[in-house]
């Protein structure tokens, strides 16, 4: 074997021995007792005091969420209460070029390194303050966790930064003379929804006694295209804002009549169990306590099936409803529809 090869191999062997010796000489004997840490490191890490920066530190980069938080009911809760101590989390300036994808990837990787987090389990986090318990102040909204939303994530209905669900602005009381004016306008609706707001066709909903705020928002959605239906869209486009309010006033003033159902008791029972997740908005007995959300009790079974599937497909656009219905099977939709159709409206 050539001498230079022998020398090279010898040099490599000596380097290996030196490195192996250095490993045992310099490595703390307690290394590996708790994973890849010295035994003393665990206590050192635990003793580190979290560095809180305050909500203002988050404002420049997260201005949209900061604006929601600072104007909502959660402004009494610091960002770091839910997201963890900011520590030395850097403020990352956007790049000069418009490569926001690269910027976001960098920001995301650095975000993780400084212990900030986006809570994955909102239910677990929110219930730390909002689960119903004796002694909690009444001003702090409390819920029965299992009955509140049927196991749905809090973010289906609530914006975490401004979580209060307010009554829609359209839920104002009727103006004098609005009911009479709405009755005159309703002639164009009678063919489908009945002369007194009680539909004789299972595919079209009865409107009598429905929540005023919901009727306004539904007509506005058809007019704007957020709901798509060839007949309703064309009719709604012709309506002015006063027309919409008057129609809503008229139908909300009428006495309702339940459509009923011929479904088997087992189907209705299954629907009732499913409806626990709907009660927060639509009421325990299908009669909503909020004018912004519709009462479902006594509506036509066929119509309810069509409406729920429309939310699944996106024909009707509502982030809250889309999140609630996306996991429902056709059978479950049928069960819910049968349950609500069989309830007594009020």
């Amino acid at each position: 074997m050539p001498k230079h090869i022998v020398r090279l191999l010898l040099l490599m062997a000596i380097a290996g021995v030196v490195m192996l010796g250095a490993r045992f000489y310099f490595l703390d004997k307690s290394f590996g007792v708790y994973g890849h840490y010295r035994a003393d490191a665990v206590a050192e890490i635990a003793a580190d005091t979290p560095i809180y920066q305050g909500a203002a530190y988050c404002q420049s980069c997260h201005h949209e969420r900061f604006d929601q938080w600072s104007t909502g009911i959660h402004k009494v809760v610091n960002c770091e209460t839910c997201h963890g101590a900011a520590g030395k989390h850097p403020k990352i300036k956007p790049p000069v070029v418009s490569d926001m994808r690269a910027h976001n990837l960098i920001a995301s990787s650095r975000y993780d390194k400084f212990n900030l987090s986006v809570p994955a389990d909102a239910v677990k986090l929110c219930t730390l303050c909002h689960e119903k318990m004796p002694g909690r102040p009444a001003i702090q909204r409390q819920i029965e966790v299992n009955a509140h939303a049927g196991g749905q994530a809090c973010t289906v209905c609530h914006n975490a930064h401004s979580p209060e669900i307010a009554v829609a602005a359209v839920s104002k009381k009727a103006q004098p003379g609005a009911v009479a004016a709405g009755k005159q306008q309703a002639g164009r609706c009678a063919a489908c929804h009945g002369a007194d707001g009680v539909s004789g066709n299972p595919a079209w909903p009865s409107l009598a006694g429905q929540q005023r705020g919901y009727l306004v928002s539904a007509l506005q959605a058809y007019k704007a295209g957020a709901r798509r239906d060839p007949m309703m869209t064309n009719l709604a486009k012709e309506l002015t804002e006063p027309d919409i309010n008057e129609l809503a006033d008229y139908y909300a003033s009428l006495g309702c009549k339940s459509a009923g159902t011929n479904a088997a008791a087992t189907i209705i029972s299954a629907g009732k169990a499913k409806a626990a997740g709907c009660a927060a908005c639509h009421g325990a007995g299908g009669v909503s306590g909020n004018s912004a959300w519709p009462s479902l009790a006594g509506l036509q079974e066929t119509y309810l099936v069509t409406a729920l599937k429309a939310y699944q497909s996106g024909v009707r656009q509502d982030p809250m409803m889309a999140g609630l219905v996306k996991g429902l099977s056709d059978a479950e939709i049928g069960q819910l529809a049968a349950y609500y159709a069989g309830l007594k409206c009020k």
Side-chain angles (χ1 to χ4, degrees), residues 1-343:
M1 184 181 294
K3 289 183 179 180
H4 68 279
I5 298 296
V6 174
R7 292 187 189 121
L8 180 60
L9 292 173
L10 183 61
L11 186 62
M12 291 173 63
I14 293 171
V17 171
V18 170
M19 286 189 290
L20 189 63
R23 180 179 182 275
F24 287 103
Y25 181 80
F26 290 108
L27 190 64
D28 195 292
K29 292 181 180 179
S30 65
F31 180 82
V33 174
Y34 298 108
H36 294 289
Y37 296 98
R38 293 178 294 106
D40 295 339
V42 176
E44 291 171 7
I45 293 169
D48 282 346
T49 303
I51 303 173
Y52 291 96
Q53 299 286 4
Y57 188 77
C58 311
Q59 184 174 7
S60 60
C61 294
H62 305 285
H63 53 86
E64 182 181 347
R65 295 178 182 86
F66 186 91
D67 290 344
Q68 293 172 343
W69 165 83
S70 59
T71 56
I73 199 169
H74 261 181
K75 62 187 175 184
V76 297
V77 181
N78 192 350
C79 304
E80 292 164 299
T81 302
C82 298
H83 294 288
K88 298 177 181 179
H89 176 60
K91 293 183 179 180
I92 304 169
K93 294 181 179 179
V96 177
V97 294
S98 58
D99 187 2
M100 292 307 297
R101 182 175 178 274
H103 165 69
N104 291 339
L105 287 171
I106 294 169
S108 176
S109 64
R110 296 179 74 178
Y111 187 84
D112 293 339
K113 288 180 181 177
F114 289 92
N115 301 321
L116 286 163
S117 62
V118 177
D121 189 350
V123 174
K124 185 176 181 179
L125 179 64
C126 298
T127 53
L128 292 176
C129 295
H130 296 291
E131 184 176 8
K132 190 172 183 179
M133 291 182 179
R136 276 189 166 162
I139 195 172
Q140 186 170 302
R141 178 67 187 273
Q142 298 171 49
I143 61 168
E144 296 282 357
V145 178
N146 293 331
H148 182 64
Q152 287 287 334
C154 303
T155 48
V156 169
C157 300
H158 301 276
N159 179 333
H161 298 99
S162 184
E164 187 173 25
I165 299 179
V167 177
V170 296
S171 60
K172 295 178 289 188
K173 292 182 179 179
Q175 298 298 313
V179 172
K183 184 175 182 179
Q184 291 183 338
Q185 299 250 18
R188 71 183 88 183
C189 314
C192 296
H193 298 291
D196 296 313
V198 179
S199 174
N201 188 320
W204 298 323
S206 293
L207 304 181
Q210 188 53 269
Q211 301 288 351
R212 179 191 183 277
Y214 167 71
L215 291 171
V216 171
S217 60
L219 287 170
Q220 288 174 338
Y222 281 122
K223 185 179 177 72
R227 284 193 186 184
R228 299 189 295 275
D229 179 271
M231 189 179 299
M232 283 302 302
T233 300
N234 290 331
L235 286 169
K237 281 181 178 178
E238 299 175 1
L239 298 175
T240 64
E241 285 302 308
D243 292 339
I244 289 174
N245 282 285
E246 288 164 0
L247 280 167
D249 290 332
Y250 168 64
Y251 281 119
S253 72
L254 297 174
C256 65
K257 182 180 178 181
S258 295
T261 180
N262 293 319
T266 52
I267 293 175
I268 296 172
S269 178
K272 183 177 182 179
K274 278 285 175 190
C278 314
C281 297
H282 300 291
V287 178
S288 175
N290 186 327
S291 179
W293 299 318
S295 294
L296 305 182
L299 287 180
Q300 283 75 0
E301 190 173 342
T302 302
Y303 164 73
L304 288 169
V305 168
T306 303
L308 288 170
K309 289 186 176 181
Y311 283 118
Q312 277 188 331
S313 66
V315 172
R316 289 193 181 189
Q317 298 172 12
D318 182 278
M320 187 188 301
M321 284 300 300
L324 287 166
V325 303
K326 67 179 180 181
L328 294 178
S329 65
D330 288 350
E332 290 170 330
I333 286 175
Q335 291 163 359
L336 279 168
Y339 167 68
Y340 280 117
L343 293 175

